[in-house]
Amino acid sequence: GPDSRIEIVGYVGFATRMTAAFQTLIHLPRRSRVILNMSSSTITKSCTSWKVSTASRRWNAGDPIMTESMQEATKMLPEGAYTSLRTYGKSSFLELDGHFDRLEETTELLGHHVALHRSELRRLLGDRARAVPSDQTIFRITIGVHDRPGEIWLSAAPLAPPSKEDYEDGVFLVSRTKHRDNPKAKNSAFITESEEERKVIGRRVNEVLMISDDGNALEGLSSNFFGVKNGTVFTAEDGVLPGITRSLILESIYDLDIPLVRQPVKAEELRLLDEAFVSSTSRGVLPVVKIDDDTISQSPGELTKMIARNFNGRVAEKLEHL
C-alpha cells in the first residue's frame, strides 16, 4: 500500500514490479513492513510471518512481516515451542491435532502453560493457506516461552520438497556429534544452535545425522532416521524428537508386518546397513544411499519403497481439508 516500507537490496529497477506483485498476490495492508534481501543473481524465496492476536474470541493475524527464509524468520520470532506443518495441495493438512498437542506439550516442558484455541488456529491456517501465492506451503507455528512468553506467531513459506530425483536416486547424509538437550521438546532455540551444522547441507547432502556422545545414530537436525539391516528396521526411541511423520511411518511398518527394533544404530555400524531413510514433514519418506564416505546402497531399497508407498496412502486417508 502507499504507506508500506519496501527495502530491496539488489536490483533497484525491480522495486516497482515487486511492489505491484506484493499488492496483487499477498494483499498487503497499509503500514506493512516488507524486507527483501536479494543477491545480484537470484531472488530468494520469501517467508511471511504474522503475529496472532488472541485478545478476543476470534483470533486475528496481524500485519505481515517478510523475511528471505524461514531460518531468518526464526531470528526475529520469540524463542520457544514450535511445530512445522505443510499443506497438501492448497489448504489440506495432516494430523493438525497432533501438531497442536506437541505445541502444548513443548510449552509445558519449557515451563509455560498454554491452551490453544484449536478451531481458531484451524481457521487462520486455512485462511493463510488460501491467501498465499504458493500452491503448497510450509507453515510454522511458534509460541514464545523464554522471551515474549505467550506470543503466538504464524509463518509461511513456499514448500520446497526434495526433488523427484532425490526420491528415485536417494540422498547423502553427513554425521556430526550433536544432540538435543531436551529431545522431547521442539524448541526453536535448537534451530539457532544448529546453524553452523546446517551450512554443510547443499544440493546432494540433504541432512546432518546427529551422533550422540556414546556413538548412537539419533536423528537428523530436522528429521528422524531409520536404518534397515537383514529385513529389520532400526530407529532410536530415546534421545530423539517424536516426529508426527515418524509416528505414521511406525504405523506403516506395523501394517506391513516388518520387524522393528526401537534402538539406535551404532555410528560404526552405519556402513553395514542395507538401506536407510529419513523422515520429516516436508520429506515424507526420503531414501538415503550414502552417509559420510560410506555408500549404503546404489539405489533406494525395497523395504524403504514399500514403507514409502504405505505411508503415502496413509497420508491421503488422513488429510484434513480446511
Side-chain angles (χ1 to χ4, degrees), residues 81-309:
Y82 80 98
T83 190
S84 297
L85 55 161
R86 58 161 292 184
T87 65
Y88 293 81
K90 191 64 177 171
S91 58
S92 296
F93 292 86
L94 179 67
E95 297 283 0
L96 279 178
D97 280 317
H99 285 283
F100 299 156
D101 287 343
R102 182 161 65 183
L103 276 171
E104 292 178 345
E105 291 166 4
T106 296
T107 56
E108 291 284 352
L109 288 168
L110 297 178
H112 184 77
H113 175 74
V114 65
L116 295 173
H117 194 331
R118 298 190 178 202
S119 62
E120 283 301 287
L121 264 182
R122 279 181 161 87
R123 181 183 61 78
L124 284 176
L125 281 168
D127 289 348
R128 296 301 95 186
R130 287 184 292 273
V132 297
S134 51
D135 291 330
Q136 295 189 93
T137 307
I138 185 79
F139 281 92
R140 180 178 292 168
I141 305 170
T142 304
I143 302 177
V145 174
H146 304 298
D147 62 323
R148 292 139 67 187
E151 280 192 12
I152 299 177
W153 285 79
L154 183 63
S155 303
L159 178 68
S163 67
K164 179 182 177 182
E165 290 73 24
D166 287 337
Y167 290 103
E168 291 178 347
D169 301 335
V171 298
F172 298 173
L173 306 185
V174 295
S175 64
R176 295 289 186 271
T177 301
K178 193 174 183 64
H179 65 276
R180 298 176 189 268
D181 291 332
N182 189 347
K184 299 303 180 185
K186 194 157 188 181
N187 187 350
S188 62
F190 181 76
I191 300 174
T192 304
E193 292 167 7
S194 58
E195 188 170 9
E196 189 64 30
E197 285 83 1
R198 295 175 193 273
K199 291 179 180 179
V200 303
I201 297 174
R203 188 181 66 83
R204 197 68 196 275
V205 175
N206 182 271
E207 177 64 301
V208 174
L209 178 61
M210 293 191 287
I211 307 296
S212 66
D213 293 336
D214 55 355
N216 291 324
L218 297 175
E219 59 184 339
L221 295 177
S222 62
S223 66
N224 289 111
F225 175 75
F226 298 79
V228 179
K229 182 65 178 177
N230 297 329
T232 297
V233 177
F234 295 82
T235 188
E237 183 72 11
D238 298 323
V240 302
L241 192 69
I244 291 172
T245 300
R246 175 182 182 270
S247 66
L248 293 177
I249 290 172
L250 294 178
E251 291 179 14
S252 291
I253 291 170
Y254 286 129
D255 187 50
L256 294 167
D257 200 26
I258 298 171
L260 172 69
V261 175
R262 294 177 183 243
Q263 292 181 1
V265 179
K266 286 290 185 180
E268 65 267 22
E269 296 176 356
L270 289 169
R271 60 185 179 82
L272 303 177
L273 291 174
D274 301 321
E275 306 177 31
F277 61 91
V278 290
S279 68
S280 68
T281 294
S282 61
R283 297 176 179 89
V285 177
L286 182 62
V288 172
V289 294
K290 189 174 183 179
I291 303 175
D292 295 325
D293 295 327
D294 297 315
T295 298
I296 306 301
S297 59
Q298 295 300 323
S299 60
E302 291 304 314
L303 274 186
T304 299
K305 290 189 281 190
M306 286 174 57
I307 293 168
R309 287 193 295 268

Side-chain angles (χ1 to χ4, degrees), residues 19-35:
T19 303
F22 284 135
Q23 291 171 331
T24 302
L25 295 175
I26 307 179
H27 310 294
L28 292 179
R30 293 166 65 88
R31 297 178 303 281
S32 295
R33 286 192 294 142
V34 180
I35 303 172

